[in-house]
Amino acid sequence: MTGNTHRVAVLSDAETATGYRLAGAQVIEATPETALRTLEQAITEGGFGLIAVDTGLIPDPATATARVMRGRDLPILLPIPSLRDAFASDAVDAKAYMGKLVRDTIGFDIKL
C-alpha cells in the first residue's frame, strides 16, 4: 500500500495512560484543563488518522473541536468511555456499567 500513513493515539489522563501504553497504544496525556488545547494541537500537528478521546476529559470531542476540524477528514475522533466514570464513588454498580459497555460494543452480554 502506498500513500500516507496515519498514526493512532489515545487522549487520556495520566492515571489511565499507563494501561493504554501497556496495550501498545500511543498516548497523549492531558488534564481536564488542558485536554481541549492538547486535542486541537494533535489534530492540527499530529498526523493522526484516529484519536480515541477519553470522555472523562472531553465528553463530546466532535462538538468541542468543530472549529478546528472544519474542512478536515482526519483524524477521526472516537469517544471512549472513561474508566473513572465506571468506578466513581457515586457509581451504583461498576459491574453493571462494564457489562453495559460490553453489550453496547458487541451487541450481547458475556457472562462468566
Side-chain angles (χ1 to χ4, degrees):
M1 181 171 135
T2 61
N4 293 335
T5 302
H6 298 284
R7 299 179 298 157
V8 175
V10 177
L11 179 70
S12 176
D13 60 46
E15 187 176 337
T16 54
T18 301
Y20 289 116
R21 283 191 182 102
L22 288 171
Q26 179 176 347
V27 176
I28 304 168
E29 285 187 35
T31 65
E33 296 78 26
T34 65
L36 182 57
R37 185 177 70 242
T38 302
L39 179 57
E40 288 177 343
Q41 184 176 1
I43 290 168
T44 59
E45 302 172 9
F48 295 103
L50 174 74
I51 302 174
V53 181
D54 185 319
T55 58
L57 294 175
I58 303 175
D60 184 356
T63 300
T65 60
R67 179 188 54 80
V68 74
M69 284 295 294
R70 188 169 293 123
R72 295 177 186 271
D73 293 328
L74 296 175
I76 295 168
L77 302 178
L78 176 67
I80 54 173
S82 172
L83 291 179
R84 185 170 302 200
D85 291 344
F87 300 106
S89 60
D90 61 344
V92 176
D93 184 356
K95 185 176 179 181
Y97 176 87
M98 297 307 286
K100 180 181 180 323
L101 288 179
V102 169
R103 187 173 47 258
D104 291 349
T105 302
I106 64 173
F108 56 88
D109 288 323
I110 295 177
K111 296 185 183 194
L112 300 175

